[in-house]
Amino acid sequence: MLTLTSTLARRLAVTKQRLAGPRPVASPAGILNVVRDLGCLQLDPISAVARSHQLVLWSRLGTYNLADLDTLLWKDRSLFEYWAHVASIVLTEDYPVHNLLMRQYASGKPKTPRAKKLRNWLKDNAGLRRHILGELRRNGPRPARYFEDKAAADWYSTGWTSGRNVTEMLDYLWTKGQIMVAGRSGLQKLWDVSERVLPDWTPREKLAEREVVTRAAQKSLRALGVATPRHIGLHYTRGRYPDLKSVLARLESEGRIERVEIRDGGQAWPGEWYIHAEDWPIVERLEIGAWEPRTTLLSPFDNLICDRARTKQVFGFDYTVEIYVPPAKRKYGYYVLPILHGDRFVGRIDPKMERERSVLTINAVYAEPGAPNSRIVSRAAAKAIEELAVFLGAKDIEYERKRVPPSWKRDLA
């Protein structure tokens, strides 16, 4: 079995995430290439700093034109919004992978209690479904508030969607691939029928489930660099890898993936670890010193850290989103951005973009235990914060001096 050091494993993971090496060109083509490598960009409505998908791209590209992303989504249609590991931006060229969920959703597979409840609710509300599809076909893109609630039976859940019949039907039609997000007005989605949204060049082949899992597993592994089966199953199309074990075994027998042992000193990391065969040249370059580290800030929902257990195992970085934690009980802050320095997390910041004043406020800066006191690190962190401010259009950065590590105050205050 081939062996990697833990350092090489981390550096491969960071490199595959486009967070090391030369920055991709900040252009529509550069954005598209980043999404190809990552597989998806998680969508989240919180904009205390910026929307998460915008930050994920900034961490890799630096300052870029947000209009380029809009062009890819709403004009070229090279990207679209769909369900990956969560609601995300995905590639139109990957449509056959996502189409499997569209075909299977609420069709008897899987046979979960929620799926059964949804199927029964859909039978009672065929009229609401016809109403929404009919309005869209006649009138084009419309927001959710446009549709009448013509439900014959209310949707019931213990969550926020209970009684929101139009919202539930839109979500069903979206997951089934019958409607898509055709544009946005602020955070408001504009819905339209899929045949008008998808470009003519969209690949339409209906892949068998095993072929979809084969493709998705490889995309997941390549985005991660090195991974266990559990990591693969929780990435990209999270939770949609039936019979993953046998798929990985076949990929290994065909030489498309290989098992590796990862050692930290004399200790091997537990579990079965895989690397994609096409990524060995990157490992070989890293082994001879072709490591071009960068320092940047990550969204709380960045692809590198979206699997919290993996983040702790691979990087020794314990990260929890505290958005829904009561303020008095937060350890670090509301929307905390980790500081990635090379292949290590050296700290985190608690920022807020005050748009009315055009000021990026840094409520606190935290150094990780064992983080270097070197000015190389503090200067790199300061530069990353300055680059974020430029991207956000901030005219100034204001630090809370009392909440900056003493050894970093010379550069971060």
Side-chain angles (χ1 to χ4, degrees):
M1 188 180 298
L2 298 162
T3 301
L4 296 182
T5 65
S6 58
T7 298
L8 270 177
R10 284 192 297 272
R11 291 182 177 181
L12 176 60
V14 171
T15 300
K16 291 298 298 181
Q17 283 285 307
R18 303 301 292 271
L19 290 164
R23 284 190 187 275
V25 177
S27 66
I31 292 172
L32 206 56
N33 284 333
V34 168
V35 182
R36 282 194 182 106
D37 282 344
L38 302 186
C40 59
L41 304 174
Q42 179 172 337
L43 291 166
D44 189 86
I46 297 170
S47 57
V49 179
R51 297 285 302 283
S52 179
H53 63 281
Q54 296 169 349
L55 286 173
V56 170
L57 289 172
W58 167 81
S59 296
R60 290 145 177 89
L61 298 163
T63 296
Y64 66 96
N65 189 344
L66 291 175
D68 288 343
L69 179 57
D70 287 342
T71 296
L72 292 169
L73 277 163
W74 316 127
K75 185 178 178 182
D76 297 346
R77 306 290 184 182
S78 299
L79 302 170
F80 68 98
E81 295 187 18
Y82 196 62
W83 197 263
H85 65 290
V86 289
S88 302
I89 293 170
V90 298
L91 292 152
T92 304
E93 64 197 49
D94 286 344
Y95 182 81
V97 169
H98 301 293
N99 178 251
L100 180 65
L101 176 60
M102 298 174 187
R103 300 193 328 254
Q104 291 184 346
Y105 187 65
S107 60
K109 185 179 183 179
K111 297 179 181 179
T112 63
R114 188 190 185 282
K116 183 178 179 181
K117 181 176 76 169
L118 178 59
R119 286 192 293 272
N120 291 335
W121 182 80
L122 290 168
K123 287 178 186 177
D124 293 336
N125 289 289
L128 175 60
R129 178 177 174 274
R130 288 194 297 269
H131 163 64
I132 290 174
L133 289 174
E135 289 293 330
L136 290 177
R137 289 189 178 112
R138 285 189 296 272
N139 301 309
R142 289 292 184 270
R145 65 175 181 273
Y146 174 82
F147 304 102
E148 264 186 83
D149 185 350
K150 294 193 174 186
D154 281 343
W155 173 256
Y156 171 76
S157 78
T158 56
W160 68 273
T161 59
S162 191
R164 298 181 179 235
N165 300 310
V166 169
T167 298
E168 186 63 26
M169 185 61 75
L170 288 169
D171 183 75
Y172 164 76
L173 292 170
W174 173 62
T175 310
K176 285 296 290 182
Q178 294 180 270
I179 65 173
M180 300 180 77
V181 181
R184 281 184 178 259
S185 177
L187 293 178
Q188 187 74 245
K189 298 173 185 174
L190 301 176
W191 298 100
D192 201 358
V193 288
S194 296
E195 55 262 33
R196 276 205 297 259
V197 176
L198 288 169
D200 293 339
W201 55 264
T202 304
R204 307 280 184 164
E205 65 265 39
K206 293 182 178 180
L207 302 175
E209 182 177 77
R210 192 170 181 85
E211 176 59 22
V212 169
V213 175
T214 298
R215 293 189 185 191
Q218 290 182 89
K219 196 170 189 78
S220 177
L221 175 58
R222 297 206 69 188
L224 293 167
V226 290
T228 66
R230 179 186 178 280
H231 299 155
I232 293 168
L234 290 175
H235 207 68
Y236 186 39
T237 54
R238 179 180 293 173
R240 305 206 300 274
Y241 294 91
D243 206 16
L244 177 60
K245 184 176 181 179
S246 70
V247 168
L248 294 177
R250 181 168 59 83
L251 287 170
E252 185 179 9
S253 70
E254 294 171 352
R256 287 194 271 176
I257 67 173
E258 297 181 46
R259 290 196 199 200
V260 293
E261 184 179 66
I262 302 174
R263 300 193 71 85
D264 191 352
Q267 187 71 35
W269 284 2
E272 296 177 344
W273 292 82
Y274 292 93
I275 182 174
H276 200 280
E278 292 182 22
D279 289 331
W280 271 115
I282 299 174
V283 175
E284 291 167 353
R285 290 197 295 272
L286 291 171
E287 283 181 319
I288 62 172
W291 167 239
E292 299 179 55
R294 299 202 302 264
T295 302
T296 192
L297 309 168
L298 301 185
S299 159
F301 307 107
D302 193 278
N303 299 54
L304 182 68
I305 59 172
C306 61
D307 182 344
R308 310 301 185 198
R310 171 186 162 85
T311 302
K312 188 172 183 179
Q313 181 179 11
V314 175
F315 295 96
F317 183 62
D318 193 358
Y319 182 74
T320 303
V321 175
E322 298 182 300
I323 291 167
Y324 303 109
V325 175
K329 295 185 177 181
R330 289 178 190 144
K331 185 176 180 180
Y332 296 108
Y334 176 74
Y335 199 80
V336 171
L337 309 187
I339 306 171
L340 178 67
H341 179 69
D343 64 345
R344 288 291 193 178
F345 288 96
V346 295
R348 51 191 105 193
I349 68 169
D350 174 17
K352 182 174 177 57
M353 179 59 193
E354 298 186 38
R355 292 175 176 83
E356 291 184 3
R357 296 199 301 136
S358 297
V359 171
L360 176 61
T361 299
I362 309 298
N363 298 310
V365 179
Y366 304 94
E368 285 298 293
N373 291 328
S374 164
R375 288 201 68 193
I376 293 174
V377 174
S378 58
R379 283 172 176 166
K383 183 181 178 185
I385 294 169
E386 289 163 8
E387 289 175 350
L388 177 62
V390 170
F391 173 63
L392 297 173
K395 296 177 181 177
D396 198 8
I397 304 170
E398 292 182 357
Y399 288 89
E400 175 53 66
R401 280 188 57 85
K402 293 180 181 178
R403 303 187 70 191
V404 174
S407 63
W408 289 5
K409 278 188 177 180
R410 193 169 172 183
D411 298 299
L412 293 167

